[in-house]
Amino acid sequence: MVLIRSIDVSPPMVNCSCAWASDYQQLSELYHCSYTGAVITRTATLDGFEEDESHTVAFMKDSLSSLNSYGYSPHPLHEYLAWIREVLGEGPSPKPFIISITESSAERLSEMLVAIQQFRASNSTWRSRIAVEFNSSCPNIKGHPPPSYHLPSLKPYLDVFAKAFQDDSTLTIGLKLPPYIIATQFRDVIECISSYTGTNSGNPTNPIAYLTCTNTLGNSLVFADQTPTPDVKMGMSRFAVPPGLGGLAGEAIHSLSLGNVYTFSRLLAESDDPAMREIVIIGAGGVTSPEAVRRMNRAGAKIVGCATLLGKEGVKAFKILSRNS
């Protein structure tokens, strides 16, 4: 069991926000899987993302890796709230939902949080079962680079979350980060988040309760002949996904993701800000085996998440990851 503020994640394993957590059926299967401790939705926007045939995924033939050109979910926030309401009514399980959200402006993000807070307030037990995660790191949105790579762009969004937390400190907030590669990037992110630390009932508290490290690695290229069905894909394009470039995930980024988890874990533990030392890390990126789960834990992740294996195996992925772990 791992507590993230009021959210109890038991067992400490989750799906990552991804295309395989898009609709009611997928969310219900994840919720009823005994090997997941919480369910994270695909990233929702206020009105839904316009998805077409260029948004897809390809799995690689020589490793449990994937490349995707997906954007955000085509389903708007209100559909996710309706689905979550239905799933939570299916049984007595206390498993929490984490609603992944993002928007093109801080104002629209604020609208989403208002709707989520109204949803949480509609049932007395849901305040401890509904959290939010801000996806600040999708690399596939044309004209909208991930704000977490440019902290002045990230801060207006963090301002919105800080205000929501100030109004209701029971709201559990997570931040999904991209892979970083330079030491100063890690320190700058820590300093940025720490700047929001305040007090709650006299105790130092930060609005951010957890970090998910990492999202996919953008600007990655996979050719069609690197996939299990090269003849089919070569007939359409020489690339594995139609745009050519996409977000790399799975085993191909595992070492980089481990490095991000380790670096953030160390910086949080060494922080002079006691509120920062309370932040939990969800480790993601190449979690395709029980050994990978253990590596994430050794690097500093209290909770482990997966997407590529889920895409390949369905919810039985979590049983695979739980073997001897």
Side-chain angles (χ1 to χ4, degrees), residues 10-62:
S10 180
M13 188 175 295
V14 299
N15 66 289
C16 297
S17 172
C18 64
W20 303 288
S22 290
D23 57 30
Y24 168 79
Q25 184 62 39
Q26 292 169 332
L27 295 175
S28 180
E29 288 178 1
L30 288 164
Y31 182 78
H32 291 291
C33 174
S34 61
Y35 297 96
T36 60
V39 178
I40 305 180
T41 70
R42 186 177 180 183
T43 302
T45 57
L46 192 60
D47 298 321
F49 179 81
E50 188 173 339
E51 190 169 80
D52 58 38
E53 63 276 2
S54 71
H55 301 106
T56 187
V57 64
F59 295 95
M60 299 172 69
K61 64 182 179 182
D62 295 326

Side-chain angles (χ1 to χ4, degrees), residues 33-241:
C33 174
S34 61
Y35 297 96
T36 60
V39 178
I40 305 180
T41 70
R42 186 177 180 183
T43 302
T45 57
L46 192 60
D47 298 321
F49 179 81
E50 188 173 339
E51 190 169 80
D52 58 38
E53 63 276 2
S54 71
H55 301 106
T56 187
V57 64
F59 295 95
M60 299 172 69
K61 64 182 179 182
D62 295 326
S63 74
L64 261 172
S65 303
S66 64
L67 185 80
N68 85 79
S69 54
Y70 288 121
Y72 305 123
S73 175
H75 304 292
L77 174 65
H78 71 84
E79 289 193 9
Y80 281 100
L81 298 182
W83 289 334
I84 291 170
R85 183 184 297 276
E86 187 170 350
V87 172
L88 290 178
E90 291 175 356
S93 171
K95 187 177 295 187
F97 267 94
I98 300 173
I99 306 173
S100 176
I101 60 174
T102 197
E103 254 302 342
S104 58
S105 71
E107 292 75 20
R108 288 178 64 81
L109 184 74
S110 181
E111 288 184 56
M112 297 184 77
L113 281 173
V114 168
I116 291 169
Q117 288 293 68
Q118 290 172 344
F119 180 76
R120 292 177 71 238
S122 68
N123 185 301
S124 60
T125 67
W126 290 358
R127 287 192 177 277
S128 62
R129 295 179 64 188
I130 305 293
V132 294
E133 178 179 274
F134 178 48
N135 185 349
S136 66
S137 49
C138 179
N140 297 332
I141 309 301
K142 292 181 180 179
H144 294 279
S148 47
Y149 277 133
H150 183 246
L151 297 184
S153 300
L154 179 63
K155 285 185 69 69
Y157 295 100
L158 295 184
D159 290 344
V160 170
F161 284 105
K163 176 62 166 59
F165 184 75
Q166 183 180 21
D167 294 341
D168 178 10
S169 61
T170 70
L171 179 63
T172 299
I173 301 166
L175 183 61
K176 188 173 187 179
L177 295 172
Y180 295 108
I181 59 172
I182 300 170
T184 53
Q185 292 176 309
F186 296 94
R187 290 196 295 268
D188 289 346
V189 169
I190 292 293
E191 289 176 7
C192 176
I193 295 172
S194 181
S195 69
Y196 288 91
T197 293
T199 57
N200 180 32
S201 301
N203 298 314
T205 309
N206 195 282
I208 303 301
Y210 76 87
L211 305 177
T212 296
C213 307
T214 64
N215 206 331
T216 60
L217 179 62
N219 203 52
S220 298
L221 180 66
V222 173
F223 286 99
D225 60 7
Q226 295 175 266
T227 69
T229 56
D231 294 338
V232 175
K233 291 184 177 295
M234 289 288 281
M236 298 180 293
S237 167
R238 61 196 178 105
F239 301 121
V241 296

